[in-house]
Amino acid sequence: MDERKTLDARASGLMIGLCMIWGLQQVILKMAAPDISPLMQIALRSGLAAILLLPLLYLDKAAELFNRQNLQAGALVAFLFSLEFFLLAQALQWTSASHAVVLLYTAPIFVALGLHWKLPSERLSWLQWSGIALAFIGIVVTFIRGQSGTVSAIEQQMLWGDLLALAAGIAWAATTITVRLSSLAQAAVTQTLFYQLAGSFILLFGLAVFLGQASIHFTPLVIGSLAFHTLVVSFASFLAWFWLLRNYLASRLGVFSFLTPLFGIIFGVWLLDERIEPNFILGSILVLAGIVVVSLQGWLRK
């Protein structure tokens, strides 16, 4: 029997804070990109956060880091986690941070779809199916380019970046589903996070070197970005996320996830002076509305 709970005030407040942090991270990655590639930033933040996590892992008596079953699941989760952020890092080279954050946070839709087939407690109602349909219509609308039938080179680049960001959202959903359906669902939160951070550092650092994206020009912005992403994003926020995932129903956690794209768009327009196209605004509204319907179906029914 699934003992995870519906959202309470504590979880709701924590989710709002996490949404603000996650909405800001893509913007800061792109701000620092001229001096350090997003891929290298993500690799370094994962490695540094994994080191910070070691004392907590040592103190956590429930952690079984070298348990064979956990290791196998941990390796898969580390790969999927690395894939998500590799795709996101590449997306940020081609599209805006605002576009990337909206498409990345389609993940709750794919999580709901994946868990529907496996867990009775996560079965989708007809109302949730309508929300998923609404979200997919929104995704299609966000990809509309060119009013005259032609697409410029810049629009083609942004389209490619948008596709990569959407793929990153699917990879994130796959990571969440794997955690829920594997032995990691009962493993220590610190253990699951360590698998992801250590694994992604190894894989992403290697990819950054291989792709020629490993150069760094240390500036105050680069140092601040690494500190923010290491201490706040990769360490504190991910630790909080897995605690929530372990204690609350995954579909209910999406109740506030629609705030992350909103924060991302606000920060992108404010800090990066990004321009948001009318069709992308409409598509984003449809996507966010779909996420709300999927996440709030119990309350909407009442």
Side-chain angles (χ1 to χ4, degrees):
M1 182 178 178
D2 198 328
E3 297 180 352
R4 291 174 177 83
K5 301 172 288 186
T6 55
L7 290 175
D8 53 27
R10 178 176 61 172
S12 299
L14 183 55
M15 274 302 300
I16 292 174
L18 293 180
C19 289
M20 291 187 66
I21 292 169
W22 293 339
L24 182 60
Q25 67 168 322
Q26 281 73 230
V27 175
I28 294 182
L29 282 172
K30 198 166 183 71
M31 287 176 66
D35 297 307
I36 178 173
S37 71
L39 187 59
M40 192 60 174
Q41 288 186 71
I42 295 169
L44 290 179
R45 81 181 191 186
S46 294
L48 293 170
I51 293 173
L52 291 175
L53 193 62
L54 284 174
L56 293 179
L57 191 63
Y58 177 77
L59 294 173
D60 193 341
K61 303 302 181 183
E64 297 179 350
L65 195 61
F66 299 106
N67 177 286
R68 182 176 179 180
Q69 192 176 17
N70 289 341
L71 275 175
Q72 291 175 343
L76 177 57
V77 165
F79 170 76
L80 292 171
F81 185 79
S82 301
L83 178 61
E84 172 199 341
F85 282 102
F86 171 73
L87 292 169
L88 177 61
Q90 302 312 302
L92 288 172
Q93 296 188 52
W94 301 104
T95 192
S96 66
S98 301
H99 279 216
V101 71
V102 169
L103 292 168
L104 176 65
Y105 280 86
T106 57
I109 297 297
F110 297 107
V111 170
L113 282 172
L115 293 181
H116 167 78
W117 306 108
K118 291 293 185 180
L119 298 178
S121 61
E122 301 280 3
R123 289 290 168 83
L124 296 172
S125 66
W126 67 267
L127 189 60
Q128 288 177 301
W129 281 113
S130 66
I132 288 174
L134 189 64
F136 275 108
I137 292 172
I139 291 172
V140 172
V141 172
T142 64
F143 279 97
I144 294 175
R145 294 290 189 276
Q147 302 299 320
S148 60
T150 60
V151 179
S152 67
I154 294 178
E155 287 175 328
Q156 288 178 348
Q157 290 179 357
M158 291 195 70
L159 179 61
W160 173 240
D162 288 353
L163 286 169
L164 290 172
L166 180 62
I170 295 172
W172 183 14
T175 304
T176 301
I177 293 169
T178 300
V179 171
R180 285 295 309 276
L181 300 181
S182 69
S183 61
L184 295 179
Q186 303 302 323
V189 173
T190 50
Q191 179 177 333
T192 302
L193 183 55
F194 182 79
Y195 286 143
Q196 289 188 303
L197 293 174
S200 64
F201 168 70
I202 294 170
L203 292 173
L204 296 181
F205 186 83
L207 280 171
V209 174
F210 178 76
L211 296 174
Q213 299 181 23
S215 62
I216 307 174
H217 299 95
F218 284 101
T219 64
L221 178 58
V222 168
I223 295 172
S225 176
L226 287 174
F228 170 75
H229 283 101
T230 299
L231 298 173
V232 179
V233 178
S234 290
F235 183 69
S237 79
F238 288 169
L239 201 60
W241 165 248
F242 282 107
W243 178 82
L244 286 169
L245 189 63
R246 185 176 179 183
N247 290 279
Y248 296 88
L249 292 173
S251 60
R252 306 302 186 265
L253 291 175
V255 68
F256 290 114
S257 63
F258 73 93
L259 289 176
T260 300
L262 291 180
F263 285 128
I265 291 173
I266 292 170
F267 289 136
V269 172
W270 176 33
L271 299 175
L272 296 175
D273 197 27
E274 293 180 342
R275 176 179 171 271
I276 308 299
E277 306 84 356
N279 70 287
F280 193 84
I281 294 175
L282 175 59
S284 298
I285 292 172
L286 293 174
V287 169
L288 300 182
I291 293 174
V292 170
V293 171
V294 171
S295 302
L296 292 178
Q297 64 93 21
W299 295 344
L300 288 175
R301 273 181 172 178
K302 295 178 182 178

